[in-house]
Amino acid sequence: MEFNQIDRRRFLAGAAAAGAALPLAAMAPGIAAAADTTPAAGAGKFPFPADTNLRVLITGDAGTGTKAQWAVADAIRDLHSREPFSMALGLGDNIYEMGPTNENDTQFKAKFEDPNHDLDFPWVMALGNHDNSAIFPGDGGWLLRGDEEVDYHQLSRRWWMPSRYYSVRVPEKNPVVEFFVLDMNPVAAMLPPILALTGRRTGSS
């Protein structure tokens, strides 16, 4: 499955230039097409749907590992057995309360993989404020913590987060939908210069 990695600065610049780009795209569609990149193979990923008949599970604020999360996941499994989902969208706050400490953090298993067992399809994940906690749960102040969830993309069959900013077209050929995943945490982060200085994940220099 191919995805488009979105550089944060280029995204903002592109949004400002959208009005000028639309007439250009109408005259020459190929000019406005975003370049595709292919992620490293890593874990053998569950495939994205190849047809246009999609059923998408939307979830968020889920990564607690508690009985409540398991109860919701059990209900999803029951529905999936009768009306199968094609893929899932995770809207953030994936690992409560503070986010993971590294890509091998056992919280990924306890709060994502185990509760979602047998839900074997791609989960397109976005970062939430709890995934970037610095001092207080959900303060969104430590952006580098979110990078651990990006790194986990290489280790999980379900978890799809190749970058902090990316898009996914479904199906890959002749798509009927394109999902854009944006990380809004830098807007509110207490330590925004840290991410810029390291240049991690955003393509900044």
Side-chain angles (χ1 to χ4, degrees), residues 46-59:
F46 290 119
F48 280 87
D51 57 41
T52 58
N53 185 19
L54 304 177
R55 280 178 52 81
V56 181
L57 168 67
I58 300 177
T59 182

Side-chain angles (χ1 to χ4, degrees), residues 20-204:
L22 286 175
L24 184 63
M27 290 186 295
I31 295 177
D36 290 335
T37 56
T38 303
K45 294 291 188 182
F46 290 119
F48 280 87
D51 57 41
T52 58
N53 185 19
L54 304 177
R55 280 178 52 81
V56 181
L57 168 67
I58 300 177
T59 182
D61 296 283
T64 62
T66 62
K67 291 182 179 179
Q69 182 184 3
W70 276 84
V72 172
D74 287 340
I76 294 171
R77 269 185 289 277
D78 179 65
L79 182 58
H80 180 57
S81 68
R82 293 180 281 112
E83 301 178 70
F85 290 105
S86 308
M87 58 181 291
L89 301 180
L91 303 184
D93 291 348
N94 310 311
I95 305 295
Y96 273 99
E97 289 281 341
M98 298 287 290
T101 57
N102 58 65
E103 71 271 25
N104 295 306
D105 195 321
T106 57
Q107 292 185 95
F108 284 113
K109 185 175 187 299
K111 299 178 180 180
F112 179 75
E113 301 292 352
D114 286 352
N116 296 318
H117 71 84
D118 296 330
L119 298 175
D120 296 339
F121 41 76
W123 291 62
V124 174
M125 307 297 285
L127 290 166
N129 55 306
H130 280 272
D131 302 309
N132 292 275
S133 297
I135 301 172
F136 305 107
D139 62 23
W142 186 250
L143 298 180
L144 296 184
R145 191 181 290 271
D147 286 346
E148 310 302 345
E149 297 193 13
V150 175
D151 289 341
Y152 187 66
H153 171 82
Q154 301 291 339
L155 304 179
S156 171
R157 299 193 69 190
R158 294 181 184 84
W159 185 282
W160 190 271
M161 189 189 288
S163 176
R164 300 179 77 107
Y165 304 82
Y166 65 97
S167 69
V168 174
R169 296 170 179 150
V170 183
E172 182 179 335
K173 295 183 178 180
N174 301 316
V176 295
V177 64
E178 182 169 7
F179 297 100
F180 291 86
V181 178
L182 307 178
D183 176 18
M184 302 305 293
N185 287 284
V187 176
M190 295 182 295
L191 302 171
I194 296 294
L195 190 63
L197 287 173
T198 63
R200 294 187 66 188
R201 306 293 183 259
T202 64
S204 58

